[in-house]
Amino acid sequence: MNTQATTVQPTSTIYYKETGVIWRLSNFFLEQIPFDHPNLVFCCIGTDRSTGDALGPMTGSFLTQLVSFPFEIVGTLDTPLHALNLEETTKALLNSPEKPYIIAIDACLGNANNIGQIIVHPGPLYPGKAVKKELPPIGEVSIKAIVNIGGFMEYNVLQSTRLNLTFEMGKVISRSLLLAWHRYNLKVINNRNSDTYNN
């Protein structure tokens, strides 16, 4: 896969309990994430102090436990990436010698029919938008998980979100990312073998 996408990929959406969700979500990731980028960074946004907003750091913690997932993970349950440190962390990343390609992961609110949907789309994520916070946009690709209903008393809604939902959705996202990475590697190996055979 090229590090520079030649066409803009559309938004992709899938329900976290759908049959074959990990395979299908890995397809979305393969379409939109340049796994060959020299500085690919996963920014998992949220806080462990809110069950709904814990989706990002929970996913980050899952990813750090996957020994064969080699990319930098920013934001875990142990060291969350949240409103108080997001701007500073983003600036530090952007000042790296090798410009990062950031994949932003966060929880979001939506309508009742869409709870449990995982959304992948090109372009930045706007953290804190659901709770009316003005935070800098982050990411070249966004992964969002709809954890509860939006539109009223957002802080309370996030606090009352079932932990099991954020746990399961975080697990699906992390496993799908790992599968996408392994599938990307297999494709690279197969292409090399094919080139060797043809030569």
Side-chain angles (χ1 to χ4, degrees):
M1 185 178 287
N2 295 324
T3 54
Q4 297 295 328
T6 52
T7 57
V8 175
Q9 296 293 338
T11 298
S12 304
T13 306
I14 191 167
Y15 182 59
Y16 83 107
K17 281 188 175 180
E18 195 167 306
T19 302
V21 63
I22 290 174
W23 181 266
R24 291 188 58 197
L25 193 52
S26 76
N27 285 337
F28 299 161
F29 294 152
L30 282 168
E31 288 168 3
Q32 301 206 31
I33 297 174
F35 284 104
D36 60 345
H37 193 280
N39 190 15
L40 191 60
V41 180
F42 290 81
C43 287
C44 305
I45 303 155
T47 173
D48 60 338
R49 295 176 182 271
S50 166
T51 52
D53 208 21
L55 181 280
M58 196 170 287
T59 304
S61 289
F62 288 146
L63 288 171
T64 59
Q65 292 164 10
L66 301 172
V67 291
S68 58
F69 196 74
F71 306 104
E72 182 179 357
I73 312 298
V74 181
T76 63
L77 290 171
D78 189 43
T79 55
L81 177 62
H82 47 56
L84 298 180
N85 62 9
L86 181 66
E87 195 165 357
E88 180 186 350
T89 304
T90 303
K91 282 180 181 174
L93 286 171
L94 294 177
N95 287 330
S96 303
E98 184 78 56
K99 188 176 185 300
Y101 192 100
I102 296 174
I103 312 301
I105 302 171
D106 198 4
C108 67
L109 301 174
N111 65 49
N113 294 330
N114 291 336
I115 293 172
Q117 297 283 349
I118 297 168
I119 304 162
V120 186
H121 68 81
L125 190 149
Y126 293 83
K129 195 175 179 183
V131 290
K132 311 296 188 291
K133 282 184 181 174
E134 293 291 331
L135 295 171
I138 180 171
E140 279 67 48
V141 172
S142 301
I143 302 170
K144 298 185 287 193
I146 301 176
V147 298
N148 215 325
I149 303 167
F152 65 98
M153 299 178 67
E154 283 85 357
Y155 281 105
N156 291 340
V157 168
L158 283 169
Q159 292 284 0
S160 64
T161 299
R162 290 196 64 214
L163 182 60
N164 184 63
L165 177 64
T166 52
F167 179 87
E168 292 297 332
M169 292 183 83
K171 200 160 61 173
V172 165
I173 292 169
S174 58
R175 288 179 177 177
S176 302
L177 284 168
L178 179 65
L179 178 58
W181 166 237
H182 286 325
R183 288 176 65 191
Y184 170 79
N185 275 327
L186 283 173
K187 186 178 177 183
V188 169
I189 291 166
N190 288 337
N191 287 343
R192 282 179 189 157
N193 290 342
S194 177
D195 290 344
T196 302
Y197 177 80
N198 290 332
N199 289 335

